[in-house]
């Protein structure tokens, strides 16, 4: 498959075939739920539809069963707060957040595309395309750093390539403000070890 052919094909995420007997919610907040995309240890990701615009959205939901863990709830809410500070074409856009069925949710931009990890497994990049991807990721990080936000988990799985070739940095689940990293002294290192900078591995609280 050529790079041009990839960006012309219609891409959809693979829907999860979950054996959990819990029924899928009809709505989360104001959004109609169409499908379950994935289920992680703490949150579930759904495909939703905005009732006003009729456009698809990605809905990240924190079930009510996790509300007793204050640190989990705070981390979930912080993710939406940090996303709200950003406004860049190479960063996934936040559309809203709120409560549902006793839990919490984050509504995000729906991106037609696949992850950089999936793309790398399909084909190799030309030098021109590689530089283009690097530049777009760099612009996203520049924007984050200008707002004193550190992503802390930048890896191929958290970089999406849309059908028209636009890079989108996603997943702010462990992102942090620079001023808040000092509070993590003595705590375990967070992130994906294979993609951490040496500075982050050695002293995450001092990584800016």
């Amino acid at each position: 498959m050529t790079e041009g052919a990839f960006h012309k094909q219609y891409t959809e995420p693979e829907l999860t075939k979950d054996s959990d007997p819990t029924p899928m919610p009809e709505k989360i907040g104001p959004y109609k739920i169409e499908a379950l995309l994935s289920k992680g240890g703490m949150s579930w990701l759904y495909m939703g539809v905005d009732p006003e615009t009729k456009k698809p959205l990605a809905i990240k939901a924190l079930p009510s069963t996790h509300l007793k863990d204050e640190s989990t709830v705070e981390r979930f809410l912080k993710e939406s707060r940090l996303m709200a500070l950003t406004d860049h074409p190479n960063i996934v856009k936040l559309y809203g957040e709120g409560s549902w069925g006793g839990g919490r949710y984050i509504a995000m931009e729906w991106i037609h595309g696949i992850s950089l990890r999936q793309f790398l497994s399909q084909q190799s990049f030309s030098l021109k395309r590689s530089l283009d991807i690097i530049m777009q990721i760099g612009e996203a990080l520049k924007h984050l750093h200008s707002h004193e936000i550190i992503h802390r988990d930048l890896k191929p799985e958290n970089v999406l390539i849309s059908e028209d070739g636009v890079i989108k940095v996603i997943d702010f689940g462990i992102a942090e403000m620079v001023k808040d990293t000092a509070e993590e002294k003595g705590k375990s290192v967070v992130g994906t070890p294979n993609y951490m900078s040496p500075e982050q591995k050695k002293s995450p609280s001092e990584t800016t």
Side-chain angles (χ1 to χ4, degrees):
M1 183 191 300
T2 65
E3 290 178 14
F6 168 80
H7 293 306
K8 291 179 181 178
Q9 71 173 343
Y10 185 75
T11 55
E12 283 284 5
E14 190 171 312
L15 302 183
T16 300
K17 296 179 180 178
D18 202 292
S19 58
D20 192 329
T22 304
M24 186 173 68
E26 293 183 4
K27 291 180 65 178
I28 291 181
Y31 309 108
K32 180 182 177 182
I33 300 304
E34 298 287 342
L36 174 67
L37 303 177
S38 65
K39 183 174 287 189
M42 293 296 177
S43 61
W44 303 340
L45 187 65
Y46 295 95
M47 175 184 176
V49 175
D50 188 310
E52 295 183 2
T53 65
K54 307 303 180 184
K55 291 183 178 180
L57 294 174
I59 311 295
K60 186 174 183 179
L62 181 71
S64 59
T65 51
H66 294 303
L67 292 185
K68 293 181 180 179
D69 187 339
E70 293 183 4
S71 62
T72 297
V73 175
E74 174 55 29
R75 170 51 61 188
F76 191 82
L77 296 177
K78 178 175 284 188
E79 180 175 1
S80 66
R81 290 199 298 267
L82 294 182
M83 290 178 65
L85 296 175
T86 69
D87 182 15
H88 194 275
N90 296 124
I91 297 174
V92 63
K93 182 178 178 62
L94 175 73
Y95 279 96
E97 60 88 20
S99 301
W100 74 284
R104 305 289 303 189
Y105 74 86
I106 300 173
M108 300 171 286
E109 173 185 11
W110 176 266
I111 301 166
H112 291 282
I114 62 176
S115 70
L116 178 57
R117 170 69 68 198
Q118 292 170 301
F119 202 2
L120 286 168
S121 69
Q122 292 181 9
Q123 60 181 301
S124 59
F125 294 142
S126 65
L127 177 59
K128 180 180 179 180
R129 183 59 180 138
S130 297
L131 291 174
D132 177 52
I133 291 172
I134 292 170
M135 288 296 291
Q136 291 190 61
I137 295 174
E139 288 296 326
L141 294 180
K142 178 181 177 181
H143 180 78
L144 291 176
H145 295 169
S146 71
H147 289 75
E148 299 191 335
I149 299 172
I150 308 174
H151 188 279
R152 302 204 300 178
D153 200 20
L154 189 66
K155 56 187 178 183
E157 289 82 355
N158 289 338
V159 175
L160 299 187
I161 305 178
S162 70
E163 289 183 306
D164 55 3
V166 176
I167 295 298
K168 296 283 187 176
V169 173
I170 65 169
D171 198 342
F172 287 75
I174 61 172
E176 195 64 87
M177 298 292 294
V178 172
K179 63 181 178 63
D180 294 331
T181 57
E183 299 177 4
E184 298 195 344
K185 283 189 175 182
K187 294 184 179 181
S188 59
V189 178
V190 296
T192 306
N194 288 345
Y195 294 98
M196 285 182 184
S197 65
E199 296 84 359
Q200 187 178 352
K201 289 181 180 179
K202 183 178 180 181
S203 182
S205 65
E206 297 177 5
T207 303
T208 59

